[in-house]
Amino acid sequence: MTVPVLLVRGDRESLVEPGEEMGTDLGVLEVPEDVEPGTSLETHLGEEFRVRRLRGPDLFHHFERTGAPMVPRDIGLVIGETGISRGDRVLDAGTGTGVLTALLARAGASVVTYERDPEFAEVAKKNMRLGGVAEDVDVRTGDLVESVDELEPSSFDVVTLDTGDAPDVVEHVPELLVEGGFLAVYSPFVESTREVVAAAREADLSEIRTRETIQREMQFDDRGSRPSTAPVGHTGYLTLARNE
């Protein structure tokens, strides 16, 4: 399976497959089959582009979108708080664009992910191929709550949820997780987060905690230094729990 590369010039980036031809306003550029990241390619007009390997954070910008994906910093919290690593098996629901799913797989986990919208699921499969993790991700079309009986009990190390029916899924988490496994639920709204916490308590999960995910970029100029007022700092709420 060929892995796409990024062609970079200044602030422009283009994602291309090795062996493809890319037309630009700076000329036509032919990408060799054996193109190597770190090298340079020239268009027929002599304009240079650098070849860069596609890395995890790049997926957020280049995946085809079917909704608002989790941002990389929040995904980093999920991975850091749950310890997801090579050899882990993750159950995910609310695939959407698939940025979270792909980055979990790139961290070394094998992922089973459920997406209720068939068209979204097809886009997610395409994105998994683009991200080079198609062999490590099983994108399933359907509702996880309705499919619980199809899953082997105590077979997942981590369950990640970014879906409106997360509270309904949480009640099944103890039967799906291994002992000591983690639940991570992301929600942009505090109301649904309260429901998730209530469901986790009802399911007798332990170490339940919720954190708002918020960061501020810094601005440095001749006048002084301060947090930037432009970007939105708040992205959502992350609820974590453990199966004991």
Side-chain angles (χ1 to χ4, degrees):
M1 179 179 65
T2 60
V3 179
V5 294
L6 287 173
L7 297 183
V8 182
R9 180 187 171 92
D11 60 357
R12 66 166 71 183
E13 292 184 354
S14 297
L15 191 64
V16 296
E17 295 275 357
E20 281 189 345
E21 181 180 275
M22 183 180 79
T24 77
D25 58 323
L26 300 175
V28 177
L29 191 152
E30 294 186 0
V31 183
E33 291 278 1
D34 59 351
V35 65
E36 289 289 337
T39 60
S40 296
L41 299 175
E42 289 188 357
T43 70
H44 79 288
L45 297 178
E47 299 292 343
E48 184 179 278
F49 284 77
R50 293 288 295 173
V51 181
R52 182 182 297 167
R53 181 166 66 91
L54 187 69
R55 300 189 65 85
D58 298 319
L59 306 183
F60 180 79
H61 301 288
H62 292 283
F63 270 4
E64 179 179 345
R65 293 198 178 185
T66 53
M70 286 181 64
V71 298
R73 74 171 190 234
D74 292 344
I75 294 172
L77 287 173
V78 171
I79 293 174
E81 292 283 1
T82 63
I84 291 172
S85 61
R86 185 169 304 280
D88 282 346
R89 193 154 187 250
V90 179
L91 177 63
D92 175 63
T95 317
T97 299
V99 176
L100 169 64
T101 308
L103 289 181
L104 296 181
R106 288 171 74 97
S110 61
V111 186
V112 177
T113 182
Y114 282 82
E115 171 55 56
R116 286 180 290 185
D117 188 306
E119 294 183 4
F120 288 8
E122 288 305 311
V123 171
K125 291 177 183 178
K126 175 183 174 182
N127 285 339
M128 295 309 106
R129 292 191 291 271
L130 179 65
V133 294
E135 296 182 358
D136 300 306
V137 177
D138 180 3
V139 180
R140 301 182 182 181
T141 303
D143 189 319
L144 175 54
V145 174
E146 297 175 358
S147 305
V148 167
D149 292 341
E150 303 171 6
L151 300 170
E152 183 179 348
S154 303
S155 59
F156 295 98
D157 299 284
V158 179
V159 173
T160 57
L161 305 175
D162 182 8
T163 176
D165 64 347
D168 296 328
V169 179
V170 169
E171 66 178 272
H172 300 283
V173 164
E175 63 192 89
L176 296 169
L177 281 176
V178 299
E179 183 177 340
F182 283 93
L183 166 70
V185 184
Y186 177 84
S187 175
F189 304 112
V190 71
E191 291 86 356
S192 56
T193 301
R194 287 179 60 89
E195 294 178 5
V196 164
V197 170
R201 290 171 177 168
E202 183 68 23
D204 289 328
L205 295 174
S206 65
E207 301 179 29
I208 303 167
R209 57 201 186 279
T210 298
R211 293 175 181 161
E212 181 181 16
T213 59
I214 182 168
Q215 286 185 346
R216 297 189 299 176
E217 292 188 10
M218 296 297 295
Q219 177 179 311
F220 301 101
D221 57 33
D222 294 338
R223 295 177 300 168
S225 308
R226 67 176 186 179
S228 172
T229 58
V232 177
H234 166 90
T235 49
Y237 303 94
L238 180 64
T239 299
L240 300 152
R242 198 164 193 181
N243 187 43
E244 296 293 354

